[in-house]
Amino acid sequence: MSIHLRSERDGVLRQRASIESFDDLLVDVPEAFGGEGQAPDPHDYFDLSLGACKAITAQMYAKRKEWPLTDVSVVVTRDERDERRGVYRLDVAMTFHGIEDPQQLARLEEISHKCPIHRLMTTSTVEVTTRTLATSPGTAP
């Protein structure tokens, strides 16, 4: 799977992204950093991927167990004040609608910790390789 990004023209920092069949996803930076403020920033996508993955994982588990989960609400709160010192904190508050049994609630929370994105963020070494592709002036890669 590949994600393609392309800067918009005229010095705008906003990026247009496509992921397989999903086109025109936008990524920007906050206005305070020179962006237009018309799209989520890269941190937002990072944070939302965790919240969405936790919700989906809990829903899949509840469905398999035939529990009465109707939907999941998630609030992800970011504390980035120590990011430059290597600490990026995310607080995830989840509400499992339709579930009243305390043991089922505890199990759904526990299962959410096993979602692929949570594990990726907390237990994996991520290696990033960046390379430059040469292009002719005025041509698109």
Side-chain angles (χ1 to χ4, degrees), residues 46 49-51 53-54 57 114-122:
F46 183 82
S49 68
L50 177 64
C53 188
K54 285 177 159 294
T57 300
K114 297 178 183 197
C115 86
I117 299 299
H118 185 121
R119 292 190 324 198
L120 179 69
M121 289 177 171
T122 60

Side-chain angles (χ1 to χ4, degrees), residues 48-137:
L48 83 80
S49 68
L50 177 64
C53 188
K54 285 177 159 294
I56 291 166
T57 300
Q59 287 175 296
M60 291 171 66
Y61 184 84
K63 183 176 182 178
R64 193 171 74 242
K65 291 290 191 177
E66 298 182 355
W67 290 354
L69 181 66
T70 56
D71 66 315
V72 180
S73 298
V74 181
V75 176
V76 180
T77 305
R78 169 190 325 149
D79 177 353
E80 60 193 15
R81 67 184 150 189
D82 293 327
E83 181 179 358
R84 290 183 183 216
R85 290 192 296 250
V87 180
Y88 187 83
R89 294 177 187 89
L90 295 173
D91 177 76
V92 182
M94 302 181 73
T95 304
F96 301 108
H97 302 278
I99 302 287
E100 295 182 18
D101 180 302
Q103 289 180 323
Q104 288 179 346
L105 289 169
R107 183 66 179 148
L108 288 174
E109 180 183 333
E110 180 183 336
I111 288 298
S112 80
H113 299 316
K114 297 178 183 197
C115 86
I117 299 299
H118 185 121
R119 292 190 324 198
L120 179 69
M121 289 177 171
T122 60
T123 64
S124 297
T125 298
V126 177
E127 296 180 4
V128 177
T129 302
T130 303
R131 55 197 166 87
T132 301
L133 300 176
T135 60
S136 300

